[in-house]
Structures are given as structure tokens and as C-alpha cells.
Amino acid sequence: MDAYDGMSLCGGLVFFAPVALLVRTQAGISETQFFLLQALLSGIIALGELPTGHLTDRMGYRRSLILAQLLLLAARGLLLAAFLLRSLPLFVAEALVEGISACLSSGTASAYLYALYGESDYLPKAAHAANFGTAGFLLSTAAYALLYRYFGLTGLLAATVLAGAAGFACSLFLRREPRAAVPEHRSQSTMWGQLGKIFRDRQALLLTALLSMFSVAWLLVNFFYAEKLADCGIPLTWLSAIIIAYSAGQMLAEPIIRLCAGKARSRLTAIFCLLCGGGLAAFGWLRTPWAAVPLMVLLPLLLDLASFYLEERQNHLIDRLDAGRDRAAALSAMNIGVNLAEIASLFASSLLTALGIGWRFALCGGLLLLGALGYMLSSRKITG
């Protein structure tokens, strides 16, 4: 376990996550204001991706991650203060600071690991660090009931602030990336030239589209698993057990990636994307508990595996196009599409409620299948 793993562990310790809405409403925030705050957060992230990516390429990945952790700690503190003071302006400030923190870490974490470990060891390390984040989530889930019973919402928020402080402390001990990864002098016009070269590449567009679809898939898992349980006639009391089971299952990503070492990564990327698309499409139509529950546990693991390989392919593409000196900006630019897809899917979900939850999973799965087939065709000319 190194400092990056510790930072990931602390990042998963969000003790108030199960009652995020309740934290706001108990402080006098209406549900409408809550969703407006979420929209503000998403908007800040979408608008700030490129500027902060460019800044990260100038200041270095490690420094950007430290600043992101500091701002995240400040956001957690603002959230606690906003709850105690029942202050809407402080809730707005918290969304602003958290959004900037997310911008600074978006793309930076991937770029940092790729700079340190290279193409050969990037995937195992990314999965290994993600396991610590999952472990943090499981710990916070297990501690939630106890903290809430004895200390209430204030205790949950205070514990999350302490976890944020520990995450910031871990970031101070991050290894420095190789000096070659951070250019000394690069003009903004050069950055735009590199980004233009990336987005003229068909595979870059396909990777961005696929990651956007995976973002939508995760929204469906996070927001609509409960509705799907009801659709299958399964008691909602099963949901906590299913979340814990699939979170534990996600930790299998690292050994699976190590097992697949040495195999063509473009092919593995396509295979996992196809499995995700097929699984989501099938899940949309399933109605029997004995088939739906195992797939609910398996799908997050498949989504994680495909996402890890897609992010590795993003970095490989940046190397192929000789845009490594603007790596964080390039990754952030691709993430803008992901953020926009999240916002669009939330609006689309509200419009497609009449179709039923099954259709939303099936539609997302069908789009993923088409994207995976397109990626397979484009990869035939490019070896992994």
C-alpha cells in the first residue's frame, strides 16, 4: 500500500453518502434546490475540465492531485458548516469548491499513474488503487448505521471531514512523476493543436462515446437498481446486500486484469464492452429474481473492467498521436463528453419514464453494443 492507495481509500470513506439528500433537506434545502445544486456541480465540472487540464499539464500531476485533495477537504468542511448553519450560500460554495476539485483530479489521476507505471503496469495499478476506494466504501457503509445512531448526521459529516484530512495527508507523500511528463514551456496554441489532432482521430471519438455510455450505465446502476428490484418483485430490503455484494465483486477486477496480462488490450477492451452491452440489454428484459440478482452483482464488475481498459486505451492513443505533453488536458477534453452525457441522460430519464425502467437499461446496452462493434472495426488497423 502506497500513498496513492491511501488517498483512494480515504476517497471512498464518504459516510454520509446514503443520506446525501437528507443532509440538505434537514438543513432547510428543498428537493428542487438540491437538484439545482447537483446541476451546478455538473456544470462547473464540464466548464472547468479544459482549463484545469491545461493547468495540470503546466504544474504537474502530483501538485494537481494535492490541490484537488485540499479543495475536497475544504468542500467537506463547507458542507459540515452549511449543515450546522443551515446556510444555502455555503451549500452553493461547497458545490463550487467540490466542482473545482473534481476538475483538477479528472484525467489527472489516470495521467499520473500512466506517467509513473507506463503502459505495461498502468492497468494493474489502476485496478489495485480502485480496490482501496471500494474498501473505503465498504468500511463507510458498515460504519454508517453505528455513526448515525450515536452521532446523527453531524457525526457522519464530521467523520467524512476527518477522512478528507487523511486523504490530503496521503497526497503529500505521493511520488513525483518523471520530469519528462511535465513540459517546462508549452503555449496554449500548441495545446489546442494537439487537442485538434486528437479529436480528428476516429478512435478518439469512439473512446469518448464509449466512456460516455459507461457513465450513463453507472447512472442507471446508481439511481435505478432499486426501481428494477421492484420491477422484478424483489423486496427493497435486498438492496443493501446487493450493493455490498457487487462492491466486493468489483475487487475482482485487479486479479482478472493480471490474469489477462500479455493479451491484446484492444481485443480485451472490445470483449468487455460487448459483455457490458449484452448484460445491460439482457438485464433490461429480465423479470425473474433468480436471473436478475446475479446479473445485478456481476454488471458493476464488468463495467469497471471495461472502463479500466478504455482509460488505458485513451492513454495509449495519446502516446500514438504524440500528445503526451498535454495528456491531462486531452483526458479532460474527452471527459467533457462524459459530463455532457450524464446531464443529457438525467433529462432523458425524466422524459422516458413512460417507457419503463427495462427499456432504459436495454437502450443503454444496445448503444454500448453498437459502440463496441465500431471500436472493434476501428482497432483492426491499429494493434494493441
Side-chain angles (χ1 to χ4, degrees):
M1 178 177 176
D2 58 18
Y4 190 90
D5 297 330
M7 194 175 73
S8 298
L9 175 67
C10 295
L13 294 171
V14 185
F15 297 94
F16 68 89
V19 287
L21 176 59
L22 185 62
V23 166
R24 275 79 174 183
T25 55
Q26 289 238 336
I29 302 298
S30 68
E31 287 194 22
T32 300
Q33 289 172 325
F34 170 76
F35 287 111
L36 286 174
L37 287 169
Q38 293 303 111
L40 173 64
L41 176 63
S42 297
I44 291 167
I45 294 172
L47 291 173
E49 287 277 12
L50 267 180
T52 54
H54 179 64
L55 176 65
T56 292
D57 283 321
R58 307 288 76 76
M59 67 189 290
Y61 307 141
R62 177 179 176 272
R63 290 176 181 173
S64 184
L65 288 173
I66 292 173
L67 182 57
Q69 288 295 311
L70 178 61
L71 289 173
L72 182 60
L73 172 59
R76 300 298 190 225
L78 283 169
L79 183 60
L80 176 58
F83 174 75
L84 294 174
L85 299 175
R86 300 172 63 87
S87 170
L88 177 59
L90 284 178
F91 278 113
V92 172
E94 184 272 334
L96 287 167
V97 175
E98 184 177 350
I100 298 170
S101 171
C103 289
L104 283 166
S105 59
S106 174
T108 305
S110 178
Y112 173 76
L113 292 180
Y114 198 82
L116 277 181
Y117 294 92
E119 185 178 353
S120 60
D121 295 321
Y122 165 82
L123 273 172
K125 177 58 181 177
H128 181 74
N131 279 351
F132 279 91
T134 302
F137 170 77
L138 290 171
L139 285 172
S140 62
T141 301
Y144 157 76
L146 189 65
L147 286 171
Y148 187 46
R149 179 179 178 182
Y150 290 102
F151 303 103
L153 293 175
T154 303
L156 295 174
L157 291 170
T160 305
V161 171
L162 292 175
F168 172 64
C170 288
S171 72
L172 297 175
F173 295 95
L174 290 172
R175 289 167 52 194
R176 295 184 183 277
E177 66 268 24
R179 181 169 295 184
V182 184
E184 293 182 5
H185 300 288
R186 296 278 282 181
S187 68
Q188 194 165 0
S189 60
T190 303
M191 180 197 74
W192 285 112
Q194 293 283 18
L195 294 181
K197 183 166 63 174
I198 287 172
F199 282 103
R200 286 191 298 269
D201 187 273
R202 180 182 297 180
Q203 197 170 60
L205 296 175
L206 278 169
L207 287 171
T208 302
L210 280 168
L211 283 168
S212 299
M213 293 173 206
F214 276 99
S215 174
V216 174
W218 272 115
L219 283 174
L220 290 173
V221 168
N222 291 330
F223 286 99
F224 297 108
Y225 254 20
E227 188 175 336
K228 183 63 179 176
L229 278 176
D231 191 45
C232 294
I234 303 170
L236 289 180
T237 51
W238 287 32
L239 185 58
S240 294
I242 289 172
I243 291 173
I244 292 172
Y246 80 59
S247 298
Q250 285 175 274
M251 301 181 81
L252 293 173
E254 182 187 359
I256 291 173
I257 285 172
R258 293 188 184 279
L259 189 65
C260 293
K263 297 179 174 62
R265 291 181 177 177
S266 290
R267 184 178 300 173
L268 288 169
T269 303
I271 289 171
F272 285 124
C273 287
L274 287 170
L275 288 172
C276 288
L280 284 166
F283 182 64
W285 295 107
L286 288 175
R287 294 291 184 275
T288 53
W290 63 266
V293 171
L295 200 50
M296 291 179 93
V297 174
L298 179 62
L299 273 174
L301 171 61
L302 292 176
L303 292 173
D304 267 357
L305 285 166
S307 297
F308 284 137
Y309 277 97
L310 283 170
E311 289 173 4
E312 189 274 337
R313 290 293 87 189
Q314 275 186 312
N315 280 290
H316 176 78
L317 173 74
I318 290 169
D319 284 345
R320 179 169 63 81
L321 296 177
D322 195 28
R325 290 183 177 271
D326 292 296
R327 187 178 303 277
L331 291 170
S332 294
M334 293 184 192
N335 283 339
I336 290 176
V338 176
N339 296 327
L340 293 177
E342 285 186 10
I343 296 170
S345 66
L346 287 171
F347 282 108
S349 292
S350 64
L351 296 174
L352 297 175
T353 50
L355 293 178
I357 186 61
W359 275 100
R360 278 174 272 181
F361 277 99
L363 180 60
C364 182
L367 290 173
L368 265 176
L369 286 172
L370 289 175
L373 290 172
Y375 178 77
M376 286 178 66
L377 292 174
S378 73
S379 296
R380 287 182 177 179
K381 298 179 181 179
I382 307 170
T383 59

